[in-house]
Amino acid sequence: MKKVGLTRSIHLKFVLIYVLLILLAMQIIGVYFVRELEQKLVENFQSSITNRVELLEYTIKEEMVKEREDDDPTQEEDIRRILEDSSKNSDIAEIRVIDNRKRIIGTSDPNNQKLVNRVTSDKDVKRVLALGVTSENTYVDNQTHDRIWVHAKPIESNNEVIGAIYIVGEIERVYDQMNDINKIFTNGTLIALFITAILGVLLAQTVTRPISDMRKQALAMAKGNFSRKVKVYGYDEIGQLAITFNNLTKRLQEAQATTEGERRKLSSVLSYMTDGVIATDRKGRVILINDPAASMLNVSRETVVSQPIVSLLGLEEGYTFDDLSNEQESIILDYSTKDKPYVLRANFSIIQKETGFVNGLIAVLHDITEQEKIDLERREFVANVSHELRTPLTTMRSYLEALAEGAWQDESIAPQFLDVTQNETERMIRLVNDLLQLSKMDSKDYRFNKDWVDFILFFHKIIDRFEMTKNINVTFQRFLPEKALFVELDQDKITQVLDNIISNALKYSPEGGTITFKVKEKDGYIEISVSDQGLGIPKENLEKIFERFYRVDKARTRQMGGTGLGLAIAKEMISAHGGDVWATSTEGKGTTIIFTLPYEVEQEDEWS
């Protein structure tokens, strides 16, 4: 998570709000205070001048109505003296006295004495003389550009206007005082704001510091660290929040530990399950797949997560996710190829909440390749046994029916029919004996009578027996060591193995062919091989010749009386002796059956 910028910080917002509230309050107070102060100062200024005007009016009126002697000062001189005394007030710029003929008879301004005895042109004075009312107006001086307050008052005697007093007050001084007060107030506001900002920062820290600690703790919790705790700075609402946050952290830590334990258990169970497990979300997308399932489907976890399960299992054409959710029976997934069978069985179960809402799907995969193979082999085995038994029984039944119908009286054919019946009976006995022997080996219900035997001498005797009894023109070639090789084996069982292998070689060898016998001494075992020059076995059938009832050429084999179990019995017996057996073949050139038996040189030295 990115760090919170200064402009987005709640700390700055808190300080700004605090400062703005203080500024707004001070501005409201300032506007009201300045306005009221200005109004009060103006009123005091005007009241001061007005009070003086009333006193001045009385004095001037007395001078204007006074009867003078010849040696008395003139009216203008007395008025000038009075005005000079009255103009000593610094708030008054000039005082003029005008008679009822609009003639200026006195002024307090020594620089404007030339105006005396001149007719005034001032509109306020004319209005006062004409109407007998007091006039008050504020103007701007054209020369100084300062504001002046003009007060004109009529002088009355016996209810008759005999003149007017015209006073110019320097009201600009009041506004200058207000400007000074405004500057003082502004400076005070700035100082107050500065102090307020500092206090706001300190106050904001008391709120934002615990919140910042909780934010850091939340980030640490998001990364899985529950060891940190938020410092409690007090027991106010934020302190209580910090305590609650610490309790929440502890609960989350405990819940995470429990969840992690359950997750590990589930992961362990899923990992060690032999069955494959796939889980999806409510839209059918894969959210979990264990290793066995990934191995069964030959995919990796990273590539299948979020992939639809119908696509993963290759069921797009026949099923939808809803179909799989409602599927009650198992679905067989056949991934077999021409060379290798591979079959899976899939069972589906929905993940459902208590409310009945379907939250996903669980698919369990079972590898039933071996089971299918066993079922197929069982069916083939039953079919083959049934066929192998039915063929001689059918033959015997036909011949016996013929004999029962009177053929036994015909001396030319009766012995032949009985001979065929006897041969088929012996064939069935061989088949049943082979089946019983395989059944014992499958159930491990058999014992070996092992003994140390010179295998070379033992092998020569078996070959000699076949060489003396063979009825076809086949040559035997022997490539056997001249020294004795002592091997621990069951002579009866290995004799049966060699009889089956050599019998097959004789059956499929052509007239004038050669059967080759070899024994090689290897490291830890001896290798025995029997080679013929028959038709050979196709490469695709070579691995199957050791399966029960398997025949490359079924018609020819049955004609020769084979049961199809000889090599299967040989494989079981060789495996029981700790050896291995396999075949090599070239079509048209012959087949070689090879098997091994354990052999130890130390034992050889003891017996030699």
Side-chain angles (χ1 to χ4, degrees):
M1 184 179 291
K2 296 196 301 183
K3 185 177 180 181
V4 177
L6 179 62
T7 57
R8 298 182 180 180
S9 172
I10 190 174
H11 192 112
L12 178 62
K13 293 177 182 178
F14 190 89
V15 173
L16 286 177
I17 292 173
Y18 185 67
V19 171
L20 288 175
L21 288 175
I22 297 298
L23 178 61
L24 179 61
M26 294 188 69
Q27 288 300 316
I28 293 174
I29 295 173
V31 170
Y32 176 78
F33 173 76
V34 170
R35 188 182 65 181
E36 292 296 323
L37 180 61
E38 179 180 347
Q39 184 177 355
K40 193 66 176 177
L41 289 175
V42 170
E43 288 179 356
N44 291 340
F45 177 83
Q46 293 174 350
S47 176
S48 174
I49 294 178
T50 303
N51 291 335
R52 296 191 63 185
V53 168
E54 291 178 356
L55 179 60
L56 182 62
E57 176 193 3
Y58 176 78
T59 304
I60 291 175
K61 181 177 68 172
E62 292 294 323
E63 292 295 330
M64 289 181 70
V65 298
K66 178 181 178 182
E67 293 183 1
R68 300 178 183 278
E69 299 294 337
D70 292 339
D71 55 351
D72 291 336
T74 63
Q75 184 182 20
E76 288 80 1
E77 290 175 352
D78 290 336
I79 291 175
R80 183 179 62 185
R81 176 178 52 81
I82 295 171
L83 293 180
E84 287 177 356
D85 293 337
S86 300
S87 63
K88 293 179 180 180
N89 191 329
S90 60
D91 292 336
I92 299 175
E94 183 181 4
I95 303 175
R96 295 178 188 177
V97 178
I98 302 95
D99 61 14
N100 55 3
R101 291 177 294 176
K102 302 178 183 178
R103 184 174 62 89
I104 300 173
I105 59 176
T107 177
S108 64
D109 188 357
N111 297 323
N112 287 335
Q113 292 299 318
K114 59 183 179 179
L115 296 176
V116 178
N117 294 322
R118 290 186 181 182
V119 177
T120 183
S121 60
D122 190 277
K123 293 184 294 182
D124 291 334
V125 174
K126 292 178 181 181
R127 183 171 177 271
V128 169
L129 292 176
L131 300 176
V133 296
T134 301
S135 175
E136 294 180 358
N137 289 300
T138 302
Y139 300 101
V140 177
D141 193 329
N142 293 329
Q143 294 179 355
T144 62
H145 300 291
D146 292 335
R147 281 169 288 189
I148 58 175
W149 182 66
V150 177
H151 180 78
K153 181 177 177 62
I155 302 172
E156 297 178 345
S157 179
N158 298 324
N159 296 324
E160 181 183 354
V161 177
I162 61 174
I165 297 176
Y166 178 85
I167 298 176
V168 177
E170 294 181 346
I171 201 172
E172 184 67 30
R173 295 180 181 181
V174 175
Y175 292 104
D176 290 339
Q177 291 177 1
M178 290 304 305
N179 289 334
D180 294 338
I181 293 172
N182 284 333
K183 289 179 181 178
I184 294 172
F185 187 79
T186 301
N187 293 332
T189 301
L190 293 176
I191 294 172
L193 288 178
F194 177 73
I195 297 173
T196 300
I198 295 175
L199 293 176
V201 171
L202 296 177
L203 181 61
Q205 284 182 349
T206 62
V207 177
T208 59
R209 186 185 301 168
I211 295 176
S212 179
D213 288 349
M214 283 186 277
R215 174 181 174 274
K216 292 179 181 178
Q217 172 65 6
L219 292 175
M221 289 168 57
K223 295 178 181 178
N225 181 12
F226 295 92
S227 60
R228 295 179 75 254
K229 286 189 176 181
V230 178
K231 184 178 179 181
V232 180
Y233 293 93
Y235 293 96
D236 54 4
E237 289 83 352
I238 295 179
Q240 295 296 324
L241 177 61
I243 294 173
T244 304
F245 197 87
N246 288 334
N247 292 334
L248 175 63
T249 302
K250 184 178 180 181
R251 296 285 183 87
L252 285 175
Q253 186 177 15
E254 294 173 353
Q256 190 210 27
T258 303
T259 303
E260 182 65 18
E262 295 299 325
R263 188 192 67 80
R264 289 179 179 177
K265 291 179 183 177
L266 178 61
S267 177
S268 178
V269 170
L270 291 177
S271 298
Y272 288 99
M273 284 180 65
T274 56
D275 296 332
V277 178
I278 303 172
T280 74
D281 58 14
R282 60 188 180 88
K283 293 184 178 180
R285 294 172 298 197
V286 176
I287 58 175
L288 182 145
I289 180 170
N290 66 347
D291 290 336
S295 177
M296 288 179 183
L297 299 174
N298 194 24
V299 295
S300 64
R301 292 185 180 181
E302 294 77 11
T303 57
V304 301
V305 172
S306 299
Q307 182 180 346
I309 189 171
V310 291
S311 301
L312 177 61
L313 300 179
L315 300 174
E316 305 100 317
E317 296 182 0
Y319 294 89
T320 64
F321 177 69
D322 292 335
D323 295 335
L324 297 182
S325 301
N326 298 323
E327 184 64 44
Q328 300 294 328
E329 302 294 333
S330 301
I331 295 179
I332 302 301
L333 307 174
D334 192 350
Y335 301 121
S336 302
T337 61
K338 182 178 180 181
D339 301 326
K340 183 180 180 181
Y342 189 51
V343 183
L344 301 178
R345 182 176 70 242
N347 296 92
F348 299 94
S349 176
I350 59 174
I351 306 173
Q352 197 169 19
K353 292 184 177 180
E354 295 179 357
T355 58
F357 181 75
V358 176
N359 204 30
L361 187 69
I362 293 290
V364 180
L365 304 181
H366 307 272
D367 187 351
I368 59 171
T369 304
E370 289 300 322
Q371 179 181 342
E372 288 292 315
K373 184 178 179 181
I374 291 172
D375 288 344
L376 179 61
E377 289 177 350
R378 177 182 56 79
R379 291 192 295 270
E380 290 181 351
F381 177 79
V382 172
N384 286 326
V385 170
S386 300
H387 184 79
E388 294 296 337
L389 291 174
R390 185 177 61 185
T391 300
L393 286 173
T394 302
T395 303
M396 291 172 59
R397 177 183 178 181
S398 299
Y399 281 93
L400 289 175
E401 287 178 351
L403 290 171
E405 291 175 357
W408 62 274
Q409 297 178 353
D410 189 342
E411 296 181 357
S412 61
I413 62 174
Q416 182 181 354
F417 281 14
L418 291 173
D419 185 53
V420 171
T421 303
Q422 183 179 0
N423 289 336
E424 292 298 326
T425 303
E426 291 176 354
R427 178 180 172 185
M428 284 195 298
I429 292 172
R430 288 196 306 271
L431 176 61
V432 171
N433 288 336
D434 288 345
L435 288 174
L436 289 174
Q437 189 170 17
L438 282 173
S439 177
K440 288 182 179 181
M441 298 184 75
D442 287 339
S443 63
K444 307 300 180 184
D445 185 20
Y446 62 95
R447 295 179 181 179
F448 283 133
N449 295 318
K450 290 185 177 181
D451 195 7
W452 290 98
V453 177
D454 179 0
F455 188 81
I456 303 303
L457 179 61
F458 170 72
F459 199 12
H460 275 299
K461 290 180 179 179
I462 294 175
I463 298 172
D464 291 342
R465 175 163 51 82
F466 275 93
E467 194 171 21
M468 288 185 296
T469 59
K470 68 179 189 294
N471 296 321
I472 57 176
N473 186 18
V474 177
T475 303
F476 284 3
Q477 287 187 351
R478 311 183 193 194
F479 297 94
L480 308 182
E482 295 181 358
K483 67 175 184 176
L485 297 177
F486 283 91
V487 181
E488 188 179 17
L489 51 80
D490 186 325
Q491 293 190 56
D492 292 338
K493 299 295 188 293
I494 299 301
T495 298
Q496 187 176 359
V497 169
L498 290 172
D499 284 352
N500 289 338
I501 294 174
I502 297 173
S503 297
N504 282 339
L506 286 172
K507 290 177 185 177
Y508 295 105
S509 291
E511 289 287 339
T514 301
I515 297 177
T516 305
F517 305 93
K518 294 181 181 180
V519 175
K520 296 180 181 179
E521 183 181 355
K522 301 285 185 176
D523 185 15
Y525 62 92
I526 59 173
E527 183 180 275
I528 303 97
S529 63
V530 179
S531 304
D532 62 49
Q533 294 179 336
L535 297 176
I537 301 172
K539 186 177 181 180
E540 61 272 14
N541 299 328
L542 197 59
E543 295 181 358
K544 300 179 181 180
I545 62 174
F546 295 99
E547 296 178 4
R548 301 174 186 184
F549 293 109
Y550 183 80
R551 297 181 177 88
V552 179
D553 187 349
K554 297 181 180 179
R556 182 182 177 189
T557 304
R558 290 196 176 98
Q559 185 179 359
M560 294 180 177
T563 63
L565 297 174
L567 290 179
I569 293 173
K571 180 179 179 180
E572 295 290 342
M573 290 184 176
I574 294 298
S575 297
H577 276 79
D580 193 12
V581 60
W582 67 94
T584 60
S585 181
T586 303
E587 288 191 69
K589 295 184 178 181
T591 302
T592 300
I593 305 297
I594 307 164
F595 68 92
T596 61
L597 291 173
Y599 167 70
E600 297 181 11
V601 179
E602 290 80 1
Q603 299 291 343
E604 165 68 22
D605 294 338
E606 292 178 4
W607 284 95
S608 57

